[in-house]
Amino acid sequence: MTGYQPERLSQDRIEAILHSVISQHVAMGWRLESRFGNQVVFVRGGQTNHAAHALITFLLCGLWLPIWIVLAVVEQEKRTVLSVDEQGRLSQGGGIPYPGFAPPPVNRFNGNAQAIAIANMRRQLRRQAREHARDVVLARDLRIGRPDLPRHYDDGGLIDVNHVPAPVLTAITGVTPELAEHIVQVRSQVIGFSSAEELAAVAALPPHLTPEIREYGIFLP
């Protein structure tokens, strides 16, 4: 006789649980740093400006030192790694069960709720990836906007309009294979674009494509 096997959830339900985890932690002041599969990394706090505190301590003849020490401890950057398994159970680094989290009731996982939860989570991942992409070197290392290359970072579906091959551009709704080839041709002549608006103007794209390109396109140098 085999033992009881917990129900394995569909990936859609796991995605909805992950969205709930992300929403709860963002509300508590955490920032979503990255996601890989069913694992997410949150961070909060930041590096203490020791140069500024050292100057204040000097100007106040050492009186600021205790405050500096306290702030260095309080403001220290903290990270936590959370993952959701196939049964929807949440755990933190090392597989330790995460206390205080209850996944949404099963009856909430109807088709519309799943679709909305996943879409919202993907949008948040795109916003996070755009923040990381301010560091161009990091963006290239993470291969943000490059679904055509092997990578581990989930950027929520961004497309690097300045570098992807033409077939990848068709992932943006409304961009036909013909338009994609046209964009690549114009791109080679102007050495890339800086925004969806510039792309639309220079390549003479239909106006209805601009919002979609603005949402999913990223324009790395």
Side-chain angles (χ1 to χ4, degrees), residues 30 48 63 80 86 94 128 155 162 185:
W30 291 89
T48 302
L63 296 177
T80 184
E86 295 178 341
Q128 186 72 38
D155 59 17
N162 285 336
Q185 288 179 357

Side-chain angles (χ1 to χ4, degrees), residues 10-212:
S10 68
Q11 186 59 35
D12 284 346
R13 286 183 60 184
I14 292 176
E15 292 283 345
I17 291 174
L18 280 167
H19 172 68
S20 180
V21 170
I22 292 170
S23 298
Q24 290 185 26
H25 280 73
V26 169
M28 292 188 295
W30 291 89
R31 304 187 304 276
L32 177 63
E33 183 178 60
S34 63
R35 177 191 167 187
F36 176 61
N38 296 337
Q39 184 180 85
V40 290
V41 179
F42 295 101
V43 62
R44 68 177 172 187
Q47 295 182 347
T48 302
N49 189 338
H50 291 289
H53 287 299
L55 177 61
I56 296 173
T57 301
F58 173 76
L59 294 174
L60 297 180
C61 301
L63 296 177
W64 189 257
L65 181 59
I67 299 175
W68 179 7
I69 295 173
V70 171
L71 290 176
V73 174
V74 172
E75 295 177 351
Q76 185 177 9
E77 193 172 70
K78 300 177 180 65
R79 279 181 175 77
T80 184
V81 180
L82 302 179
S83 58
V84 176
D85 66 13
E86 295 178 341
Q87 285 76 45
R89 295 172 299 201
L90 183 65
S91 61
Q92 48 191 342
I96 304 171
Y98 190 78
F101 174 80
V106 173
N107 59 12
R108 286 179 54 188
F109 290 102
N110 58 70
N112 288 344
Q114 290 180 30
I116 293 171
I118 293 170
N120 283 333
M121 184 177 69
R122 302 294 289 170
R123 179 181 294 172
Q124 187 164 7
L125 288 172
R126 289 194 294 275
R127 290 173 180 168
Q128 186 72 38
R130 291 184 193 280
E131 290 294 322
H132 290 319
R134 293 181 179 181
D135 183 336
V136 177
V137 175
L138 178 61
R140 289 172 180 164
D141 286 343
L142 296 176
R143 294 178 175 173
I144 291 174
R146 298 303 306 270
D148 55 309
L149 299 177
R151 59 180 182 169
H152 298 294
Y153 182 78
D154 187 348
D155 59 17
L158 290 178
I159 302 295
D160 182 0
V161 177
N162 285 336
H163 296 95
V164 298
V168 179
L169 290 171
T170 62
I172 301 175
T173 302
V175 176
T176 63
E178 294 75 19
L179 273 178
E181 291 292 347
H182 173 64
I183 290 171
V184 170
Q185 288 179 357
V186 176
R187 181 179 74 189
S188 65
Q189 297 169 5
V190 301
I191 318 179
F193 311 97
S194 62
S195 68
E197 289 74 16
E198 181 185 357
L199 168 61
V202 175
L205 300 182
H208 70 273
L209 290 180
T210 303
E212 193 77 13

